[in-house]
Amino acid sequence: MLKRKRLGDLLIEAGVITQEQLSSALDEQKVLKLRLGDLLVSKNYVTEQQIIETLEIQLGVSYVQINHQEMDPKIIALIPQKLAERQKVLPIRIEDGKLIVAMNDPLDYFAIDELRMTTGMNITPVITSKNELDRAIARFYGFQESVDQIVKRLEEREIDDPSMLQDEVYSPVVKTVNQIIEQAVSIGASDIHFDPQEDSLRIRYRVDGVLRTEKKLPYHMQKVIAARIKIMAQLDVAERRLPLDGRVELTILNRKIDFRISTLPTMYGEKIVMRILDSSNKNNKITDLDFTGHNLLRFKQSIERAYGMVVIVGPTGSGKTTTLYSALTHLNSEDVNIVTIEDPVEYQLLGINQVQVNPGPGLTFAKGLRSLLRQDPDIAMVGEMRDVETAEISVRAAMTGHLVLSTLHANNSINAINRLIDMGVEPFLVASSLLCVVAQRLVRRVCTECGQDHEPTADEREWFDKNGVPVTKLRRGAGCIKCSQTGYKGRMPIHEVLLLDDTLRSMILQRRADTEYSEYALKYGLVLMLEDGLQKAAKGLTTVQEVLRVTV
């Protein structure tokens, strides 16, 4: 049991507030009937993070991040929903015979006593943020209610025809899927993974490029969840043997958001990934893409050329499409005709003609690109060069007076040259058309709320010295409420911008090795992604660990 101290006294002992501020807040508390902590935060005397840190240090109360906890429905059921909502508490787990309960105010001894009488167990409070606790109570109790209803109805009635999920009686399935999606959008996830395991259905979110497990559902819910998602995307719910792709537009948290849906048959059922395409998150200006001055100048010079081809390379999820859209926005004006061919059209751009690939009736990249070139375009954007036919048409278009922007899967800017040749494009076509290759990866940003300066370690300094990047101080996040205790908030790209000159074109005609291209390009201005990332780490924007994670 905690030693009975008052929050105000602890904050004064820690030097966070003054006696005058406490007295003022206590006077207002008598009238407003608010919790003291909430009142102090509302008056800007203290932040919620300062209260949490004070309680951690002064009382030894652990901080927990509920989003990173695997919640057991049986533990949640130990405390009734009304009690949890009234006292702002959430049971986490049982440890050494004690019930660990997340609270925003671990000094609320009346609440702790009520929990002990209700559960018949000793209570160990841990602290979490108010917003996170409110969301978690609504999510877990509401979510668990839906899950319980689904399980009960599955026990009562075998589902042979998944289309019955559209019946009103199965609305808990709809509610459960909606709650999963809404939570993903609210925390800024880019993907939702539904992973069938041997004994459970695991739900994971990708936030800032890193996957994290959110919750686990009973395994026998896998089919009904998959069927509901397929119905949303108008996919064949009866087809479970083949991969399927679809999309759906939903209004989530008062925003219209597109979802790309992909299913894949696995040993234990269908794995489903939902890619979240939130148009409110897209960048519109190339100056917002975190290019260094040197790379931004090279990129702008390339996309402002009258003809030729600019290629963005990187793995899936590295921000290639965002870079392309930002370039198109920069070039868009009434006196140019811009046409795109994409699969899918991720965001709609005002004033630009966008074509969606549709293989069913035969509208492939190659066929669409041929038609596109008969539309008198000044600038053509090809979503991705996936085959030799599309690549060859693109490079020939670039040679005949069009500016072509496209993407390609390649490891780095140098590798893109021989990647095009290996696809079957003649070296003379590559040499004649290619203006610039931009390679990029996404790294997590240091949280601006909890970022702290620190001296580089010996290993970190070695990386900077080896790559010729000066460094004095680095930054890393200590972990706070804003960044969910990760130390990172948001992402930024690191780049490698290769400009082709006559010497490189001559080398391409001779089909030189990647190492020879690289040696020449490094002498004449190429900054490798690793070095670009280290430069940004030296400015405190990201960490060395993040840069190494995506480049080495």
Side-chain angles (χ1 to χ4, degrees), residues 44 52 54 214 249 258 275 282 303 309 316 342 352 354 369 417 424 486 493 526 528 536 539:
N44 294 320
I52 289 174
T54 299
E214 182 60 28
E249 183 185 90
D258 278 329
R275 168 66 58 87
K282 69 178 184 292
I303 63 174
M309 185 163 69
T316 302
E342 306 171 62
I352 292 176
Q354 296 172 269
L369 185 54
I417 296 171
T486 62
L526 176 66
L528 297 178
K536 289 169 180 174
K539 294 178 181 177

Side-chain angles (χ1 to χ4, degrees), residues 108-150:
D108 189 343
Y109 303 109
F110 294 107
I112 293 172
D113 288 341
E114 185 175 0
L115 293 175
R116 187 172 60 252
M117 288 187 290
T118 301
T119 63
M121 302 178 69
N122 287 328
I123 306 298
T124 298
V126 292
I127 191 169
T128 191
S129 69
K130 183 176 183 296
N131 288 339
E132 189 176 358
L133 186 58
D134 288 341
R135 287 197 303 266
I137 290 171
R139 183 168 77 247
F140 286 120
Y141 279 99
F143 186 83
Q144 190 57 42
E145 184 181 0
S146 299
V147 171
D148 291 342
Q149 290 179 30
I150 295 169

Side-chain angles (χ1 to χ4, degrees), residues 212-224:
R212 72 187 197 199
T213 298
E214 182 60 28
K215 53 179 66 75
K216 289 184 178 179
L217 303 180
Y219 172 76
H220 50 280
M221 286 181 60
Q222 186 268 327
K223 287 184 180 179
V224 294

